[in-house]
Amino acid sequence: MLSPLLRIITLLLFFSILSGCGGSSGDESSGTGSSGLSLPNSSSGSQSSDFAGTYTGTISITVTIADESESFTESITIVVDAGGNVTITSESDSGGVSTTLSGNSFIETLALTEMLDGADCSITLTISGTISGDTASGPVSGSATCSTSGFSADADVSGNFSASR
């Protein structure tokens, strides 16, 4: 009788040999193996390069403190390179941010500074974008801290953006 450890090693060896049998007589580049099953590969579906380009448009933002709301709109530029790297800038951001496409979507945080109704507001936005055809769009959400005359208050931020290439 084999010891439990030796039995496990024997089974692992047996299964590793078994999984190597059969070869790969199919065409792996097309995604079809010898069994006729479809195998995942990078040549199916949309590629990051399908979305490459410069998208320009607007981002609309509403900052709400208690029952008071202040809205503004500014320009936004989204650049997608052939490798799927996404760079987002707006007219009041603090340097732009970069992320990577996941399929046709991206999520990134953008920091803005805006003067609203006499208060200096530091805004942190989460941009959730989807690219469809020649348009990148989606919701934005986040938070802000607005200060004036030595007082500060936290605020909720919501909105959306749309940009076309």
Side-chain angles (χ1 to χ4, degrees):
M1 174 148 258
L2 296 174
S3 73
L5 182 59
L6 189 53
R7 202 173 317 155
I8 291 171
I9 293 171
T10 304
L11 285 173
L12 288 174
L13 181 60
F14 174 74
F15 286 120
S16 68
I17 291 171
L18 202 75
S19 68
C21 292
S24 61
S25 61
D27 180 3
E28 291 176 4
S29 65
S30 70
T32 305
S34 61
S35 64
L37 298 174
S38 179
L39 303 173
N41 64 40
S42 62
S43 65
S44 63
S46 297
Q47 301 294 315
S48 296
S49 60
D50 294 344
F51 305 112
T54 300
Y55 299 77
T56 56
T58 58
I59 185 167
S60 300
I61 299 168
T62 301
V63 178
T64 305
I65 300 174
D67 293 336
E68 297 286 325
S69 293
E70 184 77 27
S71 297
F72 65 97
T73 300
E74 62 180 54
S75 64
I76 187 170
T77 302
I78 301 165
V79 178
V80 180
D81 71 16
N85 298 304
V86 180
T87 303
I88 304 168
T89 55
S90 74
E91 59 189 83
S92 65
D93 71 3
S94 48
V97 293
S98 295
T99 187
T100 305
L101 277 178
S102 176
N104 67 332
S105 301
F106 58 90
I107 296 176
E108 187 54 270
T109 301
L110 184 65
L112 307 175
T113 302
E114 191 72 30
M115 183 65 74
L116 299 174
D117 203 21
D120 184 29
C121 296
S122 297
I123 303 169
T124 302
L125 290 177
T126 298
I127 299 174
S128 302
T130 301
I131 300 174
S132 179
D134 287 333
T135 303
S137 62
V140 298
S141 61
S143 61
T145 300
C146 297
S147 303
T148 185
S149 301
F151 297 100
S152 68
D154 292 331
D156 293 321
V157 179
S158 60
N160 57 63
F161 77 95
S162 182
S164 300
R165 77 176 151 168

